[in-house]
């Protein structure tokens, strides 16, 4: 697409007096989509730039975390599109097995039904029906935010193409003996009735009880402690450390397990910490992952004592009790039997809960499907070590290696009906057949398909290439794989990111799924606290968008985005960003009313004023700075740079300094109008990726061109004028100092004051008119009486404040300030003169003290000059 000059649908050439986001954003977004600005062409000869959206759950709605992440991705893709890349931001949604099944089951419960009343096929059809009617509301919310995704490529992890990809890679892994079925300990949710992944377990400190129980009697006894007394019914050993002399005489013997009448062995295992508690632990292989490993090493039996609902299934007195009911009953029985040595209640400890239903997780021995991750994880780690994939910020690499280098095999089966059903059939004679997408499943009496479905992360792990058509060799796959960068939260580095790395390298012949992993933090409230409905601090970003506009929300989020660091956000900050959008709007309106234009060539430097050359020099430095920050994913720094350049330098200084020129008219006004047009043109381009709506409206009005979305990204022209920058810095120093002095005297901003400006011998002489206008300084009259003189930047400003200040009070105030500055100077000099301090202090501390000394000396000179300028009493 090329940049057009003027189209009938461009906004009106005149801007309303106020910016109303609600009247602009929706229409603009639909125009962008209708014109295909976000569509990616696989046949294009432009270089590709690809980012996939971390697929939100089909059950989900836009929260601040989504808005934050999407803002960063949208900024990257909008900039790359403007830079001439064939840009694909791939959208889509995850089928979210457990979450979606729970939603539909709740709907059925309102009808007095369960999924079992419908049967599997009818239930799955009901879920598809729900998805079509109610799922995916987040898509509309993404449009509200301004997400520049290619909607024509939207995918769903259960659509036909992605289902083919899932079946293909399962078959490939199975044939390569990287998928197997085995009985292991898994996270089990007694409410959802399925295994769940580690990422679906939320840990929190719960108040429970810690009971110490004596197993055996006399010298043949051992005390163990547990928070889950009900699992003792499944104990098959007690373990101690091999070097623990306290229990050496018992290793290899058996002791009695209370309440059960069974005798269990005492085994020696190095997993046991002899310094913790009594140095002895109960071993329940069927209900604890660590105990399972001990049991495997010592050939212990796996005795399951709970069913899938966490109800006790053994030992008459407790059989049929819920695990929590059984816990109390067993402790009571042990107490009555004299077996309780100690009880600690309440005892706060970390407990895992199902992230979907908040039920306490139960470790459970279960027959499940597993991925053998060893070789896959090795490849995923090596890709980062070898530099094929870069993690940003780099300090996150250690966390990545700590995870992938210590991965356990991955449980991929889930006891659900909604999801990708495992493509394995079992025959009447014990046959096991894995079926690929182009193969027919075995038929005949006695053949049944595995009832489990795959973990949602299994299909989302294929996302970077399955969305592009894999396993088919499509044009899109050839063009847009590997992805350029993955932008995601550090919280799923270990789960989604690691799985994409493993699957991408495995399926795509060693080519990683992306070149860079850019990690961001979590959004928190203004006090740094995690946002949660239960805390009462959760925010619906749509509410803020309605109130302040989408640009304000986006800019606030981007401005807080330091790589890998959590982002605090409060409504006051969003309001400040709304004010920034209004500032851009009002300044552009002023510029348009005063001749700002992009027509014609930029005037030659010799035709420009120092003010014009200064702003163009600063503009090019800002372009270079913003580019560098983008390449380093420093969204906070680039947003800050743009904010201060636009607000401080362009609007507060250049526009103000140019007013006298514009009001005077003539050639100077023409030149400054063209310079201001250039500055606004480039500034709006730079701002567009972060605040797309207001900049689009202003830029199309300023330029008459079609859209910023397809405009060219600005480049640093190389123009620099250090002399002009120094000249305007001196001017700013004069204005700032006089403004401060006026404020100190209690003068109103608009109050006019007679003044004499001694600018001789400085470059500031050319700016006298602007200085007087900005400072409300009148020419000196015949009765002028210089009551205060301010020397600054080689110039002197004498003010006649007769009748407006109390000279004695002012002298007293300045004398007090001078004393404070002199004290600060003495303290800094003392520290810098202390050799012992300098020998120990870090360089940054010493530099800070040197800065304090320099500031104190400057303050002393400034205050003394003000005192000297006051009339004598």
């Amino acid at each position: 697409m090329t940049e057009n000059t003027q189209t009938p649908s461009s906004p009106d050439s005149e801007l309303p007096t106020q910016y109303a986001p609600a009247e602009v954003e929706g229409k603009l977004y639909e125009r962008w989509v209708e014109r295909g600005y976000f569509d990616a062409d696989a046949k294009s000869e432009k270089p590709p730039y690809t980012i996939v959206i971390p697929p939100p759950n089909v059950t989900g709605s836009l929260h601040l975390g989504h808005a934050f992440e999407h803002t960063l991705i949208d900024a990257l893709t909008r900039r790359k599109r403007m830079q001439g890349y064939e840009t694909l931001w791939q959208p889509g949604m995850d089928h979210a097995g457990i979450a979606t099944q729970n939603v539909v089951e709740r709907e059925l419960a309102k009808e007095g039904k369960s999924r079992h009343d419908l049967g599997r096929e009818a239930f799955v059809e009901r879920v598809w029906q729900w998805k079509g009617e109610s799922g995916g509301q987040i898509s509309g919310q993404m449009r509200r935010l301004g997400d520049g995704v290619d909607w024509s490529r939207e995918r769903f992890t259960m659509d036909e193409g992605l289902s083919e990809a899932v079946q293909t890679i399962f078959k490939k892994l199975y044939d390569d003996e990287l998928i197997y079925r085995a009985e292991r300990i898994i996270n089990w949710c007694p409410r959802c009735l399925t295994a769940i992944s580690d990422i679906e377990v939320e840990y929190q400190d719960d108040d429970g009880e810690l009971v110490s129980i004596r197993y055996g009697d006399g010298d043949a006894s051992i005390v163990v402690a547990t928070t889950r007394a009900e699992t003792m019914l499944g104990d098959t050993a007690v373990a101690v450390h091999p070097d623990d002399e306290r229990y050496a005489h018992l290793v290899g013997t058996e002791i009695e397990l209370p309440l059960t009448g069974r005798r269990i062995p005492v085994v020696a295992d190095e997993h046991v910490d002899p310094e913790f508690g009594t140095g002895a632990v109960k071993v329940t292989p069927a209900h604890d992952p660590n105990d399972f490993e001990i049991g495997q090493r010592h050939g212990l039996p796996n005795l399951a004592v709970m069913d899938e609902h966490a109800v006790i299934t053994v030992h008459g007195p407790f059989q049929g009790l819920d695990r929590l009911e059984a816990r109390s009953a067993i402790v009571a029985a042990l107490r009555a039997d004299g077996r309780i040595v100690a009880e600690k209640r309440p005892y706060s400890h970390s407990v895992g809960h199902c992230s979907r239903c908040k039920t306490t997780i139960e470790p459970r021995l279960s027959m499940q499907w597993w991925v053998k991750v060893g070789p896959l994880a090795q490849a995923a780690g090596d890709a980062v070590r070898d530099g094929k994939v870069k993690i940003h910020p780099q300090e996150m690499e250690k966390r990545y290696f700590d995870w992938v280098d210590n991965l356990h095999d991955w449980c991929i089966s889930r006891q659900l009906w909604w999801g990708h059903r495992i493509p394995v059939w079992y025959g009447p004679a014990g046959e096991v057949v894995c079926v690929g997408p182009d193969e027919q499943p075995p038929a005949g009496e006695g053949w049944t398909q595995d009832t489990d479905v795959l973990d949602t992360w299994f299909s989302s792990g294929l996302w970077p290439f399955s969305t592009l058509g894999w396993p088919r060799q499509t044009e899109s796959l050839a063009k847009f794989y590997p992805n350029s960068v993955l932008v995601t939260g550090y919280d799923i580095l270990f789960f989604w990111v690691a799985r994409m790395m493993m699957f991408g390298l495995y399926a795509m012949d060693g080519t990683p799924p992306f070149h860079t992993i850019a990690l961001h933090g979590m959004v928190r409230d203004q006090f740094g606290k995690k946002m949660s409905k239960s805390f009462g601090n959760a925010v619906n970003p749509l509410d803020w968008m309605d109130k302040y506009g989408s640009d304000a929300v986006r800019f606030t989020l981007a401005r807080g985005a330091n790589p890998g660091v959590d982002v605090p956000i409060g409504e006051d900050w969003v309001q400040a960003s709304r004010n920034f959008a209004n500032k851009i709007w009002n300044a552009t309106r002023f510029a348009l009313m005063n001749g700002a234009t992009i027509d014609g060539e930029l005037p030659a430097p010799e035709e420009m004023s120092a003010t014009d050359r200064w702003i163009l020099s600063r503009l090019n430095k800002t372009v270079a700075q913003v580019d560098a920050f983008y390449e380093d994913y420093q969204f906070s720094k680039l947003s800050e740079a743009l904010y201060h350049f636009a607000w401080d330098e362009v609007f507060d200084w250049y526009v103000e300094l140019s007013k006298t020129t514009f009001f005077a008219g003539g050639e100077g006004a023409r030149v400054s109008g063209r310079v201001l047009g250039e500055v606004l043109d480039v500034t709006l381009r730079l701002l567009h990726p972060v605040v797309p709506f207001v900049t689009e409206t202003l830029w199309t009005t300023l330029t008459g061109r079609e859209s910023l979305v397809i405009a060219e990204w600005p480049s640093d022209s190389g123009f620099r004028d250090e002399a002009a920058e120094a000249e305007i810095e001196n001017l700013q120093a004069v204005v700032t100092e006089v403004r401060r002095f006026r404020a100190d005297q209690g003068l109103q901003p608009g109050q006019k004051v007679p003044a004499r400006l001694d600018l001789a011998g400085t470059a500031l002489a050319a700016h006298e008119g602007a200085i007087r206008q900005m400072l409300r300084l009148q020419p000196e009259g015949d009765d002028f009486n210089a009551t205060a003189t301010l020397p600054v930047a080689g110039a002197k400003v004498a003010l006649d404040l007769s009748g407006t200040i109390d000279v004695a009070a002012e002298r007293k105030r300045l004398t007090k300030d001078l004393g404070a500055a002199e004290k600060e100077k003495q303290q800094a000099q003392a520290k810098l003169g202390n050799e012992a301090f300098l020998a120990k202090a870090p360089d940054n501390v010493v530099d800070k003290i040197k800065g304090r000394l320099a500031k104190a000396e400057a303050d002393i000179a400034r205050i003394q000059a003000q005192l000297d300028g006051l009339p004598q009493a």
Side-chain angles (χ1 to χ4, degrees), residues 438-499:
D438 299 323
E439 301 171 345
Q440 291 298 319
E445 186 176 351
W447 282 94
T448 59
Q449 186 178 358
D450 195 298
T451 58
D452 288 351
V453 300
L454 287 163
D455 177 12
T456 297
W457 296 99
F458 191 93
S459 51
S460 61
L462 314 179
W463 193 249
F465 51 94
S466 64
T467 52
L468 298 173
W470 187 90
R472 303 180 188 279
Q473 298 305 305
T474 64
E475 287 183 324
S476 292
L477 187 65
K479 177 74 174 179
F480 296 113
Y481 188 90
N483 296 179
S484 305
V485 61
L486 174 74
V487 179
T488 192
Y490 64 70
D491 56 319
I492 55 174
L493 172 64
F494 313 132
F495 303 101
W496 186 47
V497 178
R499 281 150 174 70

Side-chain angles (χ1 to χ4, degrees), residues 47-69:
Y49 186 80
T50 316
I51 297 181
V52 295
I53 188 174
N57 288 353
V58 67
T59 60
S61 60
L62 192 73
H63 57 64
L64 267 180
H66 288 131
F68 173 52
E69 187 167 80

Side-chain angles (χ1 to χ4, degrees), residues 377 379-385 389 391 395-406 493-494 497-498 501-502 505 517:
D382 289 346
V384 175
R385 289 188 182 92
V389 178
I391 294 179
E395 54 264 29
M396 287 285 182
E397 284 186 3
K398 182 181 184 302
R399 297 179 65 180
Y400 176 79
F401 293 137
D402 287 345
W403 179 258
V404 297
D405 292 347
N406 296 284
L493 172 64
F494 313 132
V497 178
M501 286 285 284
M502 291 191 295
L505 290 160
I517 302 167

Side-chain angles (χ1 to χ4, degrees), residues 238 240 247-255 264-268:
V238 171
V240 299
Y247 304 115
H249 67 290
L250 292 177
V251 174
T253 68
E254 291 186 342
I255 60 175
I264 57 176
V266 178
V267 300

